[in-house]
Amino acid sequence: MSENKASIDPKAYMVKSEPYYEAVADEVELYGAAYNVRMPMMLKGPTGCGKSRFVEYMAWSLGKPLITVACNEDMTASDLVGRFLLDKDGTKWQDGPLTTAARMGAICYLDEVVEARQDTTVVIHPLTDHRRVLPLDKKGELVEAHPDFQLVISYNPGYQSLMKDLKQSTKQRFGGLDFDYPGEKIETQIISKESGVDQATAGKLVQIAHRARNLKGHGLDEGISTRLLVYAGQLISKGVAPVAACNMTMVTPLTDDPDMRDTLKAAVQTFFS
Ligand SMILES: Nc1ncnc2c1ncn2[C@@H]1O[C@H](COP(=O)(O)OP(=O)(O)OP(=O)(O)O)[C@@H](O)[C@H]1O
Ligand SMILES: [Mg+2]
């Protein structure tokens, strides 16, 4: 049986250059304090509001490797922890991303962890209390987490049904930070910086988004995300006509309902006509 511990290279997981992140409140300081005590963290907020960008920025600023796992409902505990693989020399243990992160002292970001089944999420329990260990049952090994290891999960509070939520015993292992779309001034700044459009155009995109966000729960499941505003800005700065750019990024992906589309298109027309 061969091992793959030697092949872990933290350098491969370092965030190479400073990610652009515009702080919205005191989240950078609060996260830094949580990291100092290696508190597991839960980032809550709607899609495309900056959670992943924030984690990348924090990993860069703390100088720690970052391992991100996109969770889904087909994911098993082995996908996180690892499994035996068969190769020409026999069986070989392959660490999963969570085990790799625990060994090397990375920040492990489990994106949309609620999507995973509950029997999958319980593998994080011994890592997220005073024990800080990860039992590899199939291998018969107890991995002690590196002192720098920290677990971060993201969570979109809008999407949970009662059937699909984290258990209290999972939730209560984390500190939480609420995220939301940034305020008007900061979001305008972000759109302009990320897409290259001028402040005036970015400001209009944000205004349209504010109108659409008011429709959440009144025909729209989710407001227009900061991510989609960046998309709109990118098309406009490449010369696409603003109305076409907005329809493509801020109307079509959002809803199939013809009335709702008309409402959104009218908001676009108000600002770009
Ligand atoms: N505070 C911010 N500073 C800089 N860029 C931001 C910020 N907030 C959002 N963005 C922009 O919005 C985009 C989407 O953000 P991000 O991918 O972090 O969303 P998310 O919250 O992780 O969404 P999801 O839940 O869908 O994964 C980023 O690529 C970035 O361009
Ligand atoms: Mg994300």
Side-chain angles (χ1 to χ4, degrees), residues 51-52 109 111 154 227:
K51 300 181 296 295
S52 295
Y109 181 42
D111 206 351
S154 78
R227 177 187 296 124

Side-chain angles (χ1 to χ4, degrees), residues 81-101:
V81 163
R83 55 167 55 88
F84 282 107
L85 299 177
L86 281 174
D87 66 8
K88 57 181 179 3
D89 306 318
T91 54
K92 182 180 160 203
W93 174 262
Q94 171 94 53
D95 278 345
L98 183 63
T99 310
T100 303

Side-chain angles (χ1 to χ4, degrees), residues 181-240:
Y181 312 119
E184 190 176 331
K185 240 178 106 186
I186 294 179
E187 194 167 32
T188 302
Q189 180 74 21
I190 292 170
I191 307 312
S192 174
K193 262 239 163 87
E194 287 278 279
S195 71
V197 293
D198 58 32
Q199 293 268 331
T201 307
K204 289 182 186 176
L205 295 173
V206 172
Q207 292 295 325
I208 298 167
H210 281 196
R211 301 217 170 170
R213 287 168 190 168
N214 288 331
L215 297 169
K216 184 176 171 180
H218 304 279
L220 276 188
D221 296 333
E222 197 62 89
I224 297 174
S225 65
T226 307
R227 177 187 296 124
L228 288 178
L229 300 185
V230 172
Y231 285 176
Q234 285 171 335
L235 293 180
I236 294 169
S237 72
K238 289 284 176 238
V240 177

Side-chain angles (χ1 to χ4, degrees), residues 2 8 13 27 59 62 72 101 131 137 146-147 150 158-159 163 168 176-177 182 192 198 220 239 250 258 263:
S2 56
I8 305 175
Y13 295 96
E27 70 274 22
L62 295 163
N72 63 68
R131 292 172 284 176
D137 292 336
H146 184 288
Q150 187 203 24
Y159 296 167
M163 288 302 290
Q168 278 295 332
L177 280 176
S192 174
D198 58 32
L220 276 188
M250 295 159 65
T263 307

